[in-house]
């Protein structure tokens, strides 16, 4: 009879062929390893594993493994509590609508009191999956659940034991025991042939998802197919959106034998776990809260690392693409098998510990504890962001009395010509407000003459006067001041050449790929200032009011033609239901809404009320309304406000509209 250690040995030789290494890992002598190999071959009745020159050579087949598993030693085997709970699920929830305590006790060969205690613990575990364990008046146990919750739970249960190789048909062999033999037998008989069949069809469908995502889908499809014969009571929301997705069309083509409700259910799973953010607000009514939570984590990272991350838009995109599936897996208790946790802890312990400490921002919103394995997958993104930030570019500010569009052109021209990051564009008024922070900059670039007395006060920062449109004389002046010429190719110039020679190109994907692959050689001058608050906020869109209700503030917006009457009730309802509404702290509320106006310039509206108002049980005196016509740009706006208000800032009511505007522009 084979024992557990024989299977530990078999598992190891799948990846490690050197005898000395195997002996080291199992803490056995090489002679002992040879004896165990002989015992395995004897059990098979043929020599399938050989050791030549202290190296393993195996010709084991799936049939051989099946034979070995069936002969696992099971005499006098005593299940532990965890094993009993797993088997109770297997014999009850997966097979019976109702059961008696006596039936389970006899099946597992233990006492009724032991099973009763197991059921008490199992009851608590199942509640995390929205499954209730109850008793009727005849003392029979039964389960109450939604069909969706049931299918996901069973799929996750099976996924723990089923491991997909290239053929999608193997069972995990690590930690084999008599318990695993029982599990294997039950799963193999009822599920494995169908899993194999579905997996082959999934391959043909060529769905563009990670292997782990598709593996769970395969099991979910098998479970759903079996359940359909008993129960098809599925409630699928937003079916009209799901039917338009490419995944639905692919599944419908390759699985015509599945009902439409099932195909929508599978599409819904792929949508929830996918990394794209299309229609994200449909599935997450609290997506604004989630967005703010993630941005708070990012901002805390900047504060703790003492950096202002460059290309923050690209970085946030990368983070948010991962967040949606992270939330889904966390809520459904799906554990990642291919964990990078150990490697991350070894390579980037500081970043991992930071994220683990600060992830409570998100955990409070989703009301779930996020696993270390999930957090670990975010660590490389933060590491990469820090590395990208370590360029030797100088840091400067541009102070101008000219209009915003002229200032932006000047900023772009300077950054194109020289290795300098112009952090802010300031008016003279806002410039005066940040005098104390000037030592953080290498250069102050102006379009006017600065008084001599002021120049003398500046010790470490160079002040350079320029023309509003960069001239050759200005370029020479900047060179003489110590700035290094930028030898990078402009992204717009490079794209022009590429697009002139190819029409079938995903421009956004191309830009990101070029930016990532050639960051040291390409200057990305595309939409560089899209996160600047000046692009979203106009001075005239800031209102100082003294009103009695949230509705009156919205009517104020409406009276000034920024908001349609039809929007008001919708916004009030969303705020009261906490949909696309969030509380930033310090009496500030932020609302995300798709306005009826087509004027994208009016994308951010701010009302500062003299008195506090109660909105959704929160005391609010400042309302920030963001127009969703900006699409994904809303994150840039939120990032700016989180950056400003995360710590201890707030509006002062006594300030004028202009002062508030200058304060926002200069501090964000």
């Amino acid at each position: 009879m084979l024992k557990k250690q024989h299977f530990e040995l078999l598992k190891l030789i799948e990846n490690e062929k050197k005898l000395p290494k195997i002996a080291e890992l199992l803490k056995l002598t090489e002679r002992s390893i040879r004896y165990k190999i002989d015992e395995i071959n004897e059990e098979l009745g043929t020599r399938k594993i050989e050791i030549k020159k202290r190296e393993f050579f195996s010709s084991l087949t799936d049939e051989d493994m099946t034979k070995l598993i069936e002969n696992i030693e099971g005499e006098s085997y005593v299940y532990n509590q965890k094993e009993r709970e797993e088997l109770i699920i297997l014999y009850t929830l997966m097979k019976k609508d109702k059961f008696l305590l006596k039936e389970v006790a006899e099946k597992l060969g233990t006492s009724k009191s032991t099973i009763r205690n197991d059921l008490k613990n199992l009851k608590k575990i199942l509640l995390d999956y929205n499954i209730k364990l109850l008793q009727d008046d005849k003392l029979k146990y039964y389960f109450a659940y939604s069909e969706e919750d049931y299918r996901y739970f069973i799929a996750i249960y099976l996924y723990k034991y089923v491991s997909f190789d290239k053929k999608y048909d193997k069972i995990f062999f690590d930690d084999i025991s008599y318990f695993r033999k029982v599990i294997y037998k039950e799963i193999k008989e009822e599920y494995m042939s169908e899993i194999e069949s579905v997996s082959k069809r999934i391959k043909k469908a060529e769905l563009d998802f990670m292997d782990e995502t598709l593996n769970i889908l395969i099991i979910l499809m098998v479970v759903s197919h079996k359940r359909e014969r008993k129960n098809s009571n599925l409630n699928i929301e937003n079916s009209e959106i799901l039917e338009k997705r490419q995944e639905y069309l692919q599944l419908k083509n390759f699985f015509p034998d599945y009902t439409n409700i099932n195909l929508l259910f599978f599409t819904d799973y792929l949508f929830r776990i996918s990394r794209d953010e299309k229609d994200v607000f449909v599935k997450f009514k609290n997506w604004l809260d989630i967005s703010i939570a993630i941005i708070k984590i990012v901002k805390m990272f900047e504060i703790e690392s003492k950096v202002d991350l460059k290309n923050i838009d690209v970085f946030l995109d990368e983070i948010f693409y991962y967040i949606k599936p992270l939330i889904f897996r966390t809520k459904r208790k799906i554990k990642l098998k291919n964990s990078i946790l150990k490697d991350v802890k070894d390579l980037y312990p500081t970043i991992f510990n930071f994220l683990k400490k600060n992830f409570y921002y998100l955990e409070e919103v989703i009301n779930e504890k996020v696993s270390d394995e999930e957090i670990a997958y975010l660590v490389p993104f933060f590491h990469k962001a820090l590395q990208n930030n370590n360029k030797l570019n100088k840091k400067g500010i541009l102070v101008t009395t000219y209009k915003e569009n002229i200032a932006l052109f000047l900023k772009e021209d300077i950054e194109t010509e020289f290795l300098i990051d112009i952090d802010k564009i300031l008016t003279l008024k806002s410039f005066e407000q940040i005098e104390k922070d000037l030592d953080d900059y290498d250069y102050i670039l102006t379009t006017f003459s600065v008084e001599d007395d002021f120049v003398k006060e500046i010790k470490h920062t160079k002040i350079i006067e320029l023309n509003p449109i960069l001239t050759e004389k200005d370029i020479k002046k900047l060179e003489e001041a110590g700035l290094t010429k930028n030898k990078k190719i402009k992204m717009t110039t490079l794209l022009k050449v590429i697009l002139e020679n190819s029409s079938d190109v995903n421009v956004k994907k191309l830009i990101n790929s070029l930016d990532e692959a050639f960051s040291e050689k390409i200057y990305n001058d595309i939409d560089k200032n899209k996160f600047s608050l000046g692009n979203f906020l106009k001075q005239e869109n800031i209102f100082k009011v003294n009103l009695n209700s949230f509705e009156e503030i919205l009517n104020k917006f409406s009276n000034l033609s920024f908001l349609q009457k039809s929007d008001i009730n919708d916004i009030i309802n969303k705020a009261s239901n906490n949909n696309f509404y969030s509380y930033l702290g310090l009496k500030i509320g932020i609302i995300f809404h798709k306005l009826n106006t087509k004027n994208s310039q009016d994308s951010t509206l701010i009302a500062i009320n003299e008195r506090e108002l109660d909105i959704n049980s929160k005391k609010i005196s400042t309302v920030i309304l963001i127009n969703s016509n900006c699409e994904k740009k809303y994150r840039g706006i939120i990032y700016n406000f989180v950056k400003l208000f995360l710590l201890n800032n707030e509006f002062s009511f006594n300030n004028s509209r202009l002062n508030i505007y200058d304060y926002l522009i200069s501090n964000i």
Side-chain angles (χ1 to χ4, degrees):
M1 282 286 184
L2 298 185
K3 299 183 179 181
K4 176 180 176 179
Q5 205 167 52
H6 290 93
F7 288 92
E8 290 176 344
L9 172 58
L10 288 172
K11 187 68 179 176
L12 285 172
I13 65 176
E14 287 182 6
N15 300 307
E16 178 58 57
K17 303 303 179 186
K18 302 294 182 182
L19 175 59
K21 184 64 176 177
I22 294 288
E24 181 189 340
L25 290 169
L26 290 176
K27 297 179 181 177
L28 295 171
T29 65
E30 290 185 22
R31 179 172 289 190
S32 295
I33 299 291
R34 292 179 185 273
Y35 283 145
K36 292 190 181 297
I37 293 297
D38 288 340
E39 288 168 348
I40 293 170
N41 285 328
E42 187 178 342
E43 194 75 28
L44 290 168
T46 181
R47 199 161 185 82
K48 288 295 186 80
I49 305 174
E50 293 185 284
I51 302 174
K52 298 177 182 178
K53 296 181 180 180
R54 302 173 77 193
E55 191 170 341
F56 289 95
F57 296 88
S58 175
S59 58
L60 282 176
T61 64
D62 293 341
E63 289 73 25
D64 294 329
M65 291 301 297
T66 300
K67 183 178 180 179
L68 293 173
I69 288 173
E70 288 174 348
N71 289 321
I72 295 174
E73 188 177 79
E75 294 176 9
S76 304
Y77 188 91
V78 179
Y79 299 115
N80 62 38
Q81 183 179 348
K82 179 62 181 174
E83 290 173 342
R84 289 195 305 270
E85 290 169 359
E86 291 284 283
L87 289 172
I88 290 170
I89 292 169
L90 183 64
Y91 292 135
T92 61
L93 182 60
M94 294 175 68
K95 294 182 181 294
K96 293 185 175 187
D97 295 326
K98 292 188 177 184
F99 63 94
L100 289 167
L101 195 69
K102 180 183 175 184
E103 295 172 353
V104 180
E106 289 176 354
K107 186 75 175 177
L108 298 185
T110 189
S111 67
K112 289 196 291 185
S113 61
T114 298
I115 298 299
R116 187 178 289 109
N117 289 330
D118 292 339
L119 288 172
K120 284 181 182 178
N121 191 56
L122 191 58
K123 187 176 184 177
K124 297 176 185 175
I125 294 170
L126 290 173
L127 275 177
D128 286 339
Y129 297 87
N130 301 318
I131 296 174
K132 295 178 182 177
L133 177 59
L134 305 168
Q135 270 187 293
D136 63 16
D137 52 2
K138 296 181 180 179
L139 299 181
K140 277 195 171 184
Y141 288 90
Y142 67 97
F143 300 95
Y145 46 75
S146 73
E147 182 64 16
E148 181 180 358
D149 289 332
Y150 177 89
R151 293 186 184 190
Y152 273 112
F153 177 79
I154 300 301
I156 293 164
Y157 176 93
L158 290 171
Y159 184 60
K160 287 185 292 188
Y161 298 107
V162 178
S163 177
F164 296 90
D165 66 358
K166 293 178 181 178
K167 298 179 181 177
Y168 298 97
D169 63 355
K170 274 191 179 178
I171 300 294
F172 259 170
F173 294 120
D174 53 335
D175 195 28
I176 289 287
S177 64
Y178 182 73
F179 162 72
R180 289 282 178 141
K181 173 185 172 180
V182 174
I183 293 283
Y184 174 79
K185 186 172 180 276
E186 294 285 345
I187 292 175
K188 184 182 179 190
E189 289 179 356
E190 190 167 354
Y191 292 97
M192 288 311 296
S193 61
E194 196 166 350
I195 286 175
E196 184 179 0
S197 172
V198 171
S199 65
K200 288 176 180 176
R201 294 163 73 183
I202 283 291
K203 274 186 174 180
K204 294 179 181 177
E206 296 183 344
L207 294 165
D208 188 21
F209 290 88
M210 296 174 62
D211 287 346
E212 192 158 26
T213 297
L214 294 178
N215 293 343
I216 296 171
L217 173 64
I218 290 164
I219 298 175
L220 193 63
M221 292 179 76
V222 171
V223 171
S224 298
H225 204 236
K226 290 182 180 295
R227 287 293 295 180
E228 193 177 30
R229 302 159 198 164
K230 299 180 181 180
N231 191 333
S232 60
N233 187 25
L234 278 174
N235 182 27
I236 307 295
E237 296 179 353
N238 306 301
S239 57
E240 67 282 356
I241 291 173
L242 296 173
E243 285 177 344
K244 294 176 183 176
R245 292 186 68 91
Q246 185 61 34
E247 307 95 274
Y248 170 80
L249 300 174
Q250 287 172 278
L251 288 170
K252 190 175 182 179
N253 184 37
F254 286 93
F255 294 90
D257 50 321
Y258 280 70
T259 63
N260 194 58
I261 193 75
N262 265 334
L263 295 175
L264 287 171
F265 178 57
F266 308 145
T267 305
D268 184 68
Y269 158 74
L270 290 173
F271 168 63
R272 290 172 186 258
I273 208 166
S274 68
R275 296 193 176 199
D276 74 82
E277 290 186 69
K278 188 180 178 183
D279 301 314
V280 70
F281 284 102
V282 173
K283 286 300 176 191
F284 295 95
K285 300 300 184 186
N286 61 342
W287 189 247
L288 186 60
D289 283 329
I290 293 169
S291 299
I292 289 173
I294 297 303
I295 290 170
K296 282 180 178 178
I297 294 171
V298 170
K299 190 58 202 170
M300 288 303 297
F301 180 72
E302 289 183 308
I303 293 169
E304 204 157 302
S305 304
K306 298 178 179 178
V307 299
D308 289 320
L309 292 177
K310 298 167 185 174
N311 298 320
I312 190 70
D313 53 336
V314 176
F315 178 57
L316 288 178
D317 277 350
E318 290 176 336
I319 299 300
F320 275 92
Y321 283 147
Y322 186 77
I323 289 300
K324 184 159 74 84
L326 177 149
I327 293 172
F328 174 75
R329 286 191 296 265
T330 299
K331 285 188 169 293
R332 285 296 178 187
K333 311 294 187 295
I334 299 172
K335 294 181 180 178
L336 293 164
K337 285 182 178 179
N338 302 319
S339 176
I340 61 170
L341 179 60
K342 186 179 181 304
D343 292 331
V344 161
K345 281 185 171 180
D346 290 342
L347 293 169
Y348 316 115
T350 304
I351 298 176
F352 174 78
N353 290 330
F354 162 81
L355 288 176
K356 189 171 172 60
K357 181 179 73 175
N358 287 278
F359 235 68
Y360 72 89
Y361 285 116
L362 178 64
E363 291 170 339
E364 286 179 347
V365 174
I366 65 174
N367 199 29
E368 296 281 353
K369 182 72 177 173
V370 179
S371 70
D372 287 0
E373 286 78 10
E374 290 285 2
I375 292 173
Y377 273 95
L378 286 169
V379 171
F381 295 120
F382 283 83
H383 173 68
K384 177 186 170 186
L386 274 184
Q387 283 193 314
N388 291 340
N389 226 63
N390 291 332
K391 297 193 301 183
L392 297 176
N393 286 18
K394 298 292 186 181
K395 189 176 179 182
I397 55 173
L398 175 61
V399 188
T400 180
T401 53
Y402 288 88
K403 290 182 178 180
E404 181 187 331
N405 60 336
I406 295 175
L408 285 172
F409 278 128
L410 180 58
K411 176 181 185 289
E412 182 182 324
D413 286 344
I414 295 168
E415 289 182 329
T416 302
E417 291 288 337
F418 295 94
L419 294 176
I420 183 172
D421 292 319
I422 297 175
D423 192 48
K424 301 180 190 296
I425 300 176
L426 304 177
T427 63
L428 182 58
K429 181 93 173 179
S430 57
F431 173 61
E432 291 170 352
Q433 294 177 349
I434 67 161
E435 284 185 28
K436 63 181 185 295
D437 298 320
L438 292 179
D439 284 344
D440 295 337
Y441 298 98
D442 302 295
Y443 294 88
I444 299 171
L445 309 175
T446 75
T447 56
F448 56 87
S449 297
V450 179
E451 294 179 9
D452 291 340
D453 289 343
F454 180 77
V455 174
K456 290 177 184 177
E457 292 177 12
I458 307 300
K459 296 179 181 178
H460 305 292
T461 308
K462 294 182 180 180
I463 302 175
I464 304 170
E465 185 183 345
L466 303 169
N467 290 292
I469 297 175
L470 200 68
T471 65
E472 287 298 323
K473 188 177 178 181
D474 291 325
I475 292 172
K476 188 176 180 181
K477 189 185 292 186
L478 290 168
E479 280 188 274
E480 290 172 350
L483 275 174
T484 304
K485 288 284 287 202
N486 189 359
K487 297 179 180 179
K488 294 182 178 181
I489 304 169
K490 287 175 77 171
M491 181 70 81
T492 50
T493 305
L494 186 59
L495 278 179
K496 185 180 178 183
V497 175
I498 294 172
L499 296 175
E500 283 175 353
N501 292 275
S502 177
S503 57
D504 189 21
V505 175
N506 184 323
V507 177
K508 184 179 177 181
K509 192 174 180 180
L510 177 62
I511 291 169
N512 289 338
S513 297
L514 290 170
D515 213 12
E516 186 172 327
F518 307 104
S519 59
E520 300 303 315
K521 296 182 179 180
I522 296 175
Y523 174 73
N524 191 353
D525 59 331
I526 297 174
D527 206 15
K528 189 168 175 60
N529 303 293
K530 70 180 180 179
F531 268 24
S532 170
L533 192 63
N535 289 345
F536 307 106
L537 180 64
K538 305 294 179 186
Q539 183 182 319
E540 59 267 24
N541 287 4
I542 300 172
F543 308 100
K544 300 191 65 174
V545 292
N546 185 11
L547 300 171
N548 297 312
S549 70
F550 181 43
E551 186 173 0
E552 286 184 23
I553 289 176
L554 296 177
N555 279 317
K556 175 72 173 178
F557 289 151
S558 175
N559 291 336
L560 293 165
S561 73
F562 296 121
L563 195 65
Q564 304 295 318
K565 287 284 186 183
S566 58
D567 293 309
I568 294 175
N569 288 336
D570 192 22
I571 294 175
I572 291 172
N573 289 334
K574 283 179 178 178
S576 62
N577 294 318
N578 219 29
N579 294 347
F580 316 150
Y581 166 83
S582 191
Y583 182 61
L584 279 181
L586 299 165
K587 306 172 188 175
I588 298 169
I590 187 166
I591 298 167
F592 184 69
H593 183 69
K594 193 173 183 66
L595 302 180
N596 291 323
T597 178
K598 294 181 180 179
N599 188 355
S600 61
Q601 291 184 338
D602 296 328
S603 56
T604 304
L605 309 172
I606 299 176
I608 305 164
N609 203 46
E610 188 172 5
R611 66 191 77 180
E612 292 180 5
L613 302 174
D614 187 88
I615 304 177
N616 201 27
S617 302
K618 300 287 189 181
K619 299 295 182 183
I620 305 293
S621 57
T622 299
V623 176
I624 300 172
L625 179 65
I626 299 173
N627 178 9
S628 67
N629 289 335
C630 300
E631 301 296 339
K632 283 172 59 175
K633 290 182 180 179
Y634 84 93
R635 279 209 300 264
I637 306 171
I638 294 172
Y639 173 82
N640 279 304
F641 285 117
V642 170
K643 181 179 176 181
L644 182 61
F645 298 117
L646 179 60
L647 298 178
N648 56 4
N649 297 298
E650 69 178 308
F651 291 127
S652 171
F653 188 83
N654 294 324
N655 288 335
S656 68
R657 173 191 286 182
L658 177 59
N659 283 341
I660 292 169
Y661 178 77
D662 283 337
Y663 172 74
L664 288 169
I665 298 300
S666 61
N667 282 280
I668 293 180

